[in-house]
Each structure stands twice: as structure tokens, then as C-alpha cells.
Amino acid sequence: MKANKARIIFHLDMNSFYASVETAYHPAYKGKPLAVAGNPEERKGIIITSNYEARAKGVKTTMPIWQARKLCPELIILRPNFERYRYASSEIFKILNSITPFVEPVSIDEGYMDVTDATSPSNTLQLAEELQHKIKRELDLPCSIGIAPNKFLAKMASDMKKPMGITILRKRDIPMMLWPLPVGEMYGVGKKTAEKLNTMDIHTIGDLAEADVYQLKQLLGINGERLKNRANGIDLRPVDPDAVNEFKSIGSSETLPVDTTDANEIRSLLTALAQNVESRMKRKHAAGRSVQLTIRYHDRSTITRSKKLPNYIEKKEDILKVAFELFDLHWNLEPIRLLGVTVQDIEEKQNIAQQLDLFTYKKDAEKEKLYDAIDKLTQKFGKNPFVEVKEEVNQQPKTSFQKDFLDDYRK
């Protein structure tokens, strides 16, 4: 790619991805309000996503099921099928890679493409339309595409027309198309950051573009200058196909059907979450050196607490030990709505060179033999024969929006 050549970047964003995949698998649901929820049988389960027909009735992500049904009695609610979504995602990215090798997955349902060398500027819109129609024709899935000279503008453009929209956002379009938008709608600006910016009388993206960089850095650190550059359409980041391999954490969380203070129920859920994290780490051949616990209370206030470890861990027992320790230290005895367990500072095992001394080597080696033996027995009998009955819990789908759903893409 020529260094002085103007870039053409696509940001592809699948529309209501989980719900759209379910509709593609069940054509009878087309045109009907549909939502995917963590636990449809429980009134207090939450909506993970919904299609546009359901959104038109007021159904929103994270809304309790009882509230969604009140707004839309005819709402079809399905459990998530993550294997199905991962397969659909892998097929989507195969299509993208057939156009250009410069594809950067961001999550299971969105990614960037650098098509600078795949098309001419005059044929850019035609390429986007052909891509959009190909995905709809072959997979029956709708998407929106943003076209711009950099990743930030392409991301903002893809959000401007949904579903099945294509938007071109050039630098000369920024004053009319981007600057009038509320600053809270800018990619990279969360609710708390928007509130901080409001204290500086920054209410639109245009206000941010013209703000004093020194004051922004005083308020937000280096991110203040970065956001100002983005607001002015400056983003030099390349589309990086290898970015999908960069994962720093693997976690799992679940909203409880009913707010609870029941210690047995809480510990059972933490056990299930730790098991889920272990399974994902095993898929990635990874280990981590930090464990984070998330607790969301009945009033939606949320705390996160973490502990750095001297050595890498990967087993459920080790993850759970730290999670229990953090929970016992930091739970304020108020009813809990959600729990999450995350292993951070992740590395692939092939890159880990643990410094084993004479005292730990034998112990670690013996543990590995034990784990191998347990794994073989588990495969033979269908479950770990050494797990106590009190640790068994219902295996429900755990929601996660991290990059570990992209495993199929990486293979």
C-alpha cells in the first residue's frame, strides 16, 4: 500500500446480530418482535438484545423480561445460542477476507476493513453495496457499513443509518454530519466522560473539537487530547488483522433471577462462573496473573475488586479461591443482582516462561499430572468425579461480549 495514498476504511456492524441470527434460523419469526434473553423462564432475567420490531415497542437491552413483556406481550424470547452466533460470525469474516486481507475483527459482530487497494475511490460505494447484499443473500443477515478515511469516522458513520444502511463520512462532511451530535454519542465517550465534559460546557462533538487541549488533558489525561483529535477527524490507527490475537482478560458474568443475599446461591454462581472462565482459557491455551470480581447490587451500584498474583493461574480451583477471598473481603451484605469473575493479565501459555525454583518445580509438576488425570476421568465419566455435589449448579449460558467469541475466526 502506498504511504501517500488516501485510505478507504469500512466499518461493518451487524444489525441486532443475535436476534437476526435467530430469525435467519427461524424464518417464521421474521417481522415479529423477538429478543434474546439470558434466562427466559425467569421474570427477572434480562434482555441481551432485540430486533427492530421489538425496539419499536420500547424493548431495550438490559431491560428485565417482565418489563419487556409488559411493553410487548407478543414478544418472542429465546435463550442465546452462542455456538450458532460464533459460526455466523466466522462466515461473515470469511466474506470480508475474500475482499481484502486487511480485516480487523472488533467483536463477534463488527469489524474494520481497509479496502484502499481492493477498490478505486469511484467504485467504493458499489463495493459496499455488493458486500452488504452478499451477506444478506448468503447468510440472511442485515448489516450497516460506514465508509471513511479512518477507523473512527468509519465507526461513527456505520451508526448513522440502521438497519441496512451505508454512510459515507468524509473529512469535509465533519462540520455538518458529526459536530452537531451530542458528545455522549461519540465513540469512545462513555456516560461518565460525557458528564465530565459537560462541566467544561462541552455538549456537542463540535464543542469538543474546539475545546482547549490543555484543559482537556487536565480533566481526562492523555485521553482528552486523543478525543479532541478524534472529534476533528484525526485517527492514524491502521486496520490491524493481528489485533484479534491481543486479549488481556477473559471473564464471565450473570444476572441473578432474583436479588439475593443467600451465601450458598452466591457461592454456587461464583463456582459456575469460574468454571466458565477456565473453559474459555483452556480453549485459548492461556493463563492469567490477576483475578477481578464484579458485584452489582440491587440498586445497580457496582464495585470491582482485583488481586494480582505471583504466578499465572488457569484452573477453576485457583480462580475460585481468589474470587471467594475477594468476595468475603468486599461484600457489604446487601442483596446482589449480578456477579462477574474475570482473569486478567492474560498470556498464551506458549509465551509464559514461569520461573520455577527448586521448591515449586516438583509441586507444579505433580499438580499438572493430577489435572491431566482428572481431565481423562472427566472425559470418561462425563463430569469431574472429584467435584462435591454442593458445587454442582445448573449450566446456563453466560453472557460475554469479549473477543473470546472470535476463537473460530482465529483458527
Side-chain angles (χ1 to χ4, degrees):
M1 191 180 298
K2 295 179 181 178
N4 61 349
K5 194 173 183 180
R7 294 194 299 165
I8 304 172
I9 309 298
F10 285 5
H11 180 263
L12 182 136
D13 191 6
M14 304 307 297
N15 304 143
S16 304
F17 181 58
Y18 293 176
S20 295
V21 171
E22 295 298 345
T23 302
Y25 273 83
H26 306 284
Y29 294 156
K30 285 190 176 181
K32 299 177 181 179
L34 181 146
V36 175
N39 194 346
E41 289 78 20
E42 298 285 349
R43 281 184 79 246
K44 289 196 176 183
I46 61 168
I47 302 295
I48 296 173
T49 187
S50 60
N51 63 9
Y52 288 93
E53 290 83 356
R55 294 180 192 183
K57 300 292 182 72
V59 177
K60 298 179 181 178
T61 300
T62 73
M63 179 179 284
I65 287 176
W66 67 266
Q67 187 177 354
R69 287 198 185 280
K70 187 175 181 181
L71 291 169
C72 183
E74 69 274 25
L75 183 66
I76 299 167
I77 302 180
L78 303 175
R79 279 181 172 271
N81 186 325
F82 292 122
E83 290 303 313
R84 182 176 291 170
Y85 308 149
R86 289 175 60 197
Y87 175 76
S89 178
S90 69
E91 293 301 301
I92 292 164
F93 283 106
K94 284 178 185 177
I95 293 174
L96 304 193
N97 276 283
S98 71
I99 296 172
T100 174
F102 298 103
V103 176
E104 179 183 332
V106 178
S107 68
I108 192 172
D109 64 345
E110 65 173 313
Y112 293 103
M113 305 169 66
D114 189 329
V115 298
T116 309
D117 289 341
T119 186
S120 64
S122 59
N123 290 327
T124 299
L125 182 58
Q126 179 182 346
L127 176 62
E129 290 172 343
E130 290 173 353
L131 172 60
Q132 188 182 62
H133 293 152
K134 183 179 178 69
I135 293 172
K136 189 71 173 71
R137 182 178 64 254
E138 295 187 4
L139 303 177
D140 198 16
L141 296 174
C143 68
S144 293
I145 300 175
I147 305 171
N150 61 51
K151 290 165 70 173
F152 169 73
L153 292 178
K155 168 69 175 177
M156 294 298 297
S158 68
D159 282 336
M160 290 180 176
K161 293 180 185 175
K162 290 185 177 183
M164 290 293 284
I166 297 177
T167 304
I168 299 174
L169 181 55
R170 296 158 292 203
K171 287 196 175 182
R172 65 174 179 265
D173 301 321
I174 290 174
M176 289 186 61
M177 295 178 63
L178 192 66
W179 285 354
L181 298 176
V183 73
E185 292 186 15
M186 178 174 161
Y187 179 63
V189 176
K191 183 179 178 181
K192 290 185 178 180
T193 299
E195 290 172 353
K196 289 180 180 179
L197 291 170
N198 290 164
T199 65
M200 286 181 56
D201 204 25
I202 296 173
H203 300 282
T204 67
I205 298 177
D207 294 336
L208 178 59
E210 297 176 356
D212 180 78
V213 67
Y214 177 76
Q215 290 183 325
L216 287 171
K217 289 174 76 172
Q218 288 290 104
L219 183 69
L220 302 173
I222 190 64
N223 193 45
E225 182 176 8
R226 185 182 298 115
L227 290 176
K228 177 181 169 68
N229 286 337
R230 298 283 196 272
N232 282 289
I234 301 169
D235 182 8
L236 302 179
R237 294 173 299 159
V239 172
D240 182 6
D242 292 328
V244 67
N245 297 316
E246 298 173 3
F247 54 92
K248 293 299 179 183
S249 66
I250 296 176
S252 184
S253 63
E254 183 175 331
T255 300
L256 289 149
V258 180
D259 300 340
T260 187
T261 57
D262 186 315
N264 289 331
E265 184 178 2
I266 290 167
R267 289 181 177 271
S268 291
L269 178 53
L270 287 173
T271 302
L273 296 176
Q275 178 64 62
N276 201 38
V277 172
E278 181 199 54
S279 298
R280 289 178 176 170
M281 291 178 69
K282 185 176 291 186
R283 265 205 331 257
K284 287 177 170 291
H285 307 288
R289 292 188 64 179
S290 180
V291 176
Q292 176 180 282
L293 175 72
T294 300
I295 304 174
R296 180 171 299 158
Y297 292 105
H298 60 102
D299 59 359
R300 295 189 178 274
S301 63
T302 305
I303 65 166
T304 57
R305 299 291 183 268
S306 61
K307 181 178 180 179
K308 188 85 172 180
L309 305 172
N311 295 316
Y312 285 93
I313 63 170
E314 58 181 304
K315 297 297 180 181
K316 180 192 77 172
E317 292 78 8
D318 297 324
I319 299 168
L320 197 56
K321 180 181 178 182
V322 182
F324 281 161
E325 179 184 337
L326 290 169
F327 181 79
D328 292 339
L329 279 172
H330 300 290
W331 181 33
N332 66 7
L333 303 182
E334 290 291 315
I336 292 173
R337 177 177 178 79
L338 173 146
L339 286 170
V341 174
T342 302
V343 174
Q344 300 174 317
D345 300 324
I346 294 288
E347 285 287 350
E348 291 189 39
K349 290 169 72 173
Q350 64 184 19
N351 297 330
I352 297 173
Q354 185 182 22
Q355 298 300 315
L356 297 176
D357 58 32
L358 292 173
F359 297 101
T360 64
Y361 176 80
K362 184 177 179 180
K363 182 179 178 182
D364 283 2
E366 288 174 350
K367 284 175 69 177
E368 283 300 316
K369 291 179 182 178
L370 173 62
Y371 290 141
D372 287 343
I374 291 175
D375 283 344
K376 288 177 182 177
L377 287 170
T378 299
Q379 291 174 10
K380 181 177 180 180
F381 295 106
K383 66 175 184 177
N384 184 340
F386 301 107
V387 173
E388 295 182 23
V389 174
K390 67 179 181 181
E391 287 192 356
E392 293 183 1
V393 294
N394 293 329
Q395 292 299 312
Q396 300 172 357
K398 310 296 186 299
T399 58
S400 173
F401 300 94
Q402 301 185 52
K403 289 183 180 177
D404 46 321
F405 279 134
L406 295 167
D407 282 347
D408 288 343
Y409 174 76
R410 298 173 62 197
K411 292 177 181 177

